[in-house]
Amino acid sequence: MTHTVKEIAAALGAEAFGATDIKIMRAAEPAEAGPDDLALAMNPQYAARLTEGRAQVAMLWQGADWQAMGLHAAIIAPRPRYAMAALTKMLDSGQGFATGIHPTAFVDPDAILDADVSVGPMAVISAGARIGAGSVIGPQCYIGSNATLGAGAYLREAVSIGARVRIGARFIAQPGARIGGDGFSFVTAEPSSVENVRKTLGDQGETQAQPWTRIHSLGSVRIGDDVEIGMNATIDCGTIRDTVIGDRSKLDNQVHLGHNVVIGRDCLICGQVGIAGSAVIGNSVVLAGQCGVNDNIVVGDGVIAGGGTKLMSNVPAGRTMLGYPATRMDTQVESYKALRRLPRMIRDVAALKNAVFNGDKDT
């Protein structure tokens, strides 16, 4: 499928200049762009590589001199990276999933599929499940009993949704996402060494080794509208109440949410983040890659945590955190700078000590 420069600009709410009837097939990086591609040269650094490719058209930043770059046409967007959201949607050819229900899929007679639902090969939809209109259930997906997916859900291959999970509209799950497994909840008959350590912050006490007894998950998972879950992410059911993910939140690959976790609206949870049971994450929180969140703590609205940060206690709203254990980012950076200066300081102190003591001996 091709689109003219004029059509693309109109879809992006951007301005088009030059030969706007040129047809575009793909988006490409400047150095790799051919004559049918739209080169994404959204800042001067990228634009410098236009001469390595054969692009006729580029998407540029405001104020860029597109004619001086030898282009035949240009699209100028006020916020080019934001324009990429609409551009990539427009050019996305999808995964090629067929419409209708594949003959190898199993749909229980008691399941309810609204209009225009696509079910891929070897998918399973269990009794009592309800799938909203226009949804796509990819190959080898599993939908548990009495689970609900809102309209426009899009499940890539091998996604599993457990029993009684409730998901809102326009949900997206990437390959291998697992939603609704049992929580990691175990207990011992007598107070355990772990319980003593939590109370004393170190002392295991005189407890004896004991077997662990499983606590079953009676809750499920509840997910709002416009949520996206990345590849191989795992979302545990709640123990009594549901684990919750708010509207428009996005979870990256290999994210893990423990039982009873609550994620607010518009959060961005990046790759390999682990959030322990019963933690509460506010609205518009950003947790960068490999962050860890302790159990039973509250992370306030608007918190941003840098990569690898370990949040061990409650974090007030609006804080920017970094490090292990987490402190305010500016404090952590100063501490890191001081740590790097330590070897030099030690050498300076040693030199000063030698000078002082040698001076005493000379006198």
Side-chain angles (χ1 to χ4, degrees):
M1 181 181 295
T2 61
H3 304 276
T4 66
V5 172
K6 183 178 181 180
E7 290 170 344
I8 293 173
L12 306 186
E15 293 184 274
F17 298 91
T20 59
D21 58 344
I22 294 175
K23 293 183 177 181
I24 298 296
M25 295 184 62
R26 295 167 298 270
E29 293 189 358
E32 300 171 356
D36 298 326
D37 297 335
L38 175 63
L40 303 181
M42 298 178 292
N43 65 43
Q45 179 182 353
Y46 293 142
R49 302 199 65 186
L50 280 169
T51 56
E52 300 175 37
R54 296 180 297 134
Q56 299 185 82
V57 186
M59 186 160 74
L60 303 170
W61 65 98
Q62 283 190 313
D65 187 351
W66 61 274
Q67 291 172 308
M69 298 176 192
L71 298 169
H72 296 173
I75 296 173
I76 307 292
R79 182 162 158 74
R81 183 165 174 79
Y82 186 74
M84 280 188 66
L87 174 66
T88 53
K89 181 177 181 180
M90 189 176 189
L91 299 180
D92 189 354
S93 59
Q95 296 297 312
F97 294 159
T99 59
I101 299 175
H102 194 273
T104 64
F106 173 78
V107 179
D108 191 278
D110 290 333
I112 300 173
L113 275 59
D114 292 342
D116 301 320
V117 171
S118 170
V119 182
M122 301 177 68
V124 174
I125 301 178
S126 302
R130 178 154 195 166
I131 313 298
S135 293
V136 175
I137 310 301
Q140 298 183 337
C141 286
Y142 174 83
I143 312 297
S145 63
N146 298 305
T148 301
L149 275 73
Y154 183 76
L155 275 56
R156 288 280 304 271
E157 54 272 23
V159 171
S160 65
I161 310 293
R164 303 178 302 282
V165 170
R166 291 175 291 163
I167 299 176
R170 297 171 297 280
F171 175 69
I172 296 175
Q174 298 297 334
R178 303 286 186 245
I179 301 168
D182 285 348
F184 192 71
S185 297
F186 299 88
V187 67
T188 53
E190 301 294 332
S192 68
S193 57
V194 174
E195 293 174 70
N196 285 335
V197 167
R198 289 179 69 94
K199 289 179 182 178
T200 64
L201 300 182
D203 184 11
Q204 294 190 25
E206 301 298 325
T207 56
Q208 301 297 315
Q210 304 174 68
W212 297 97
T213 300
R214 189 173 193 272
I215 298 175
H216 288 246
S217 297
L218 303 183
S220 190
V221 178
R222 179 162 39 95
I223 298 176
D225 295 337
D226 299 296
V227 171
E228 181 162 348
I229 307 294
M231 291 185 289
N232 295 325
T234 52
I235 317 297
D236 288 356
C237 288
T239 305
I240 302 298
R241 59 179 171 82
D242 291 345
T243 299
V244 177
I245 302 174
D247 294 345
R248 300 178 300 280
S249 286
K250 317 299 182 185
L251 278 62
D252 196 3
N253 301 337
Q254 297 180 323
V255 166
H256 174 67
L257 304 188
H259 58 276
N260 301 341
V261 165
V262 175
I263 303 286
R265 301 184 302 276
D266 299 303
C267 292
L268 200 64
I269 312 297
C270 301
Q272 297 184 339
V273 167
I275 302 178
S278 298
V280 176
I281 310 298
N283 301 321
S284 302
V285 171
V286 177
L287 301 179
Q290 295 189 335
C291 281
V293 180
N294 206 8
D295 62 286
N296 291 284
I297 69 170
V298 176
V299 177
D301 294 349
V303 166
I304 298 175
T309 297
K310 309 305 175 188
L311 303 175
M312 310 297 288
S313 57
N314 295 342
V315 182
R319 287 280 177 88
T320 303
M321 308 294 287
L322 184 66
Y324 177 34
T327 57
R328 292 175 64 131
M329 185 174 284
D330 53 357
T331 302
Q332 185 71 221
V333 170
E334 285 302 312
S335 298
Y336 178 67
K337 288 179 180 178
L339 185 64
R340 293 192 64 182
R341 288 194 290 265
L342 275 178
R344 185 177 65 190
M345 293 173 63
I346 292 171
R347 290 193 299 269
D348 290 346
V349 169
L352 179 61
K353 181 178 177 181
N354 287 335
V356 170
F357 284 120
N358 287 338
D360 288 343
K361 290 177 181 179
D362 293 339
T363 59

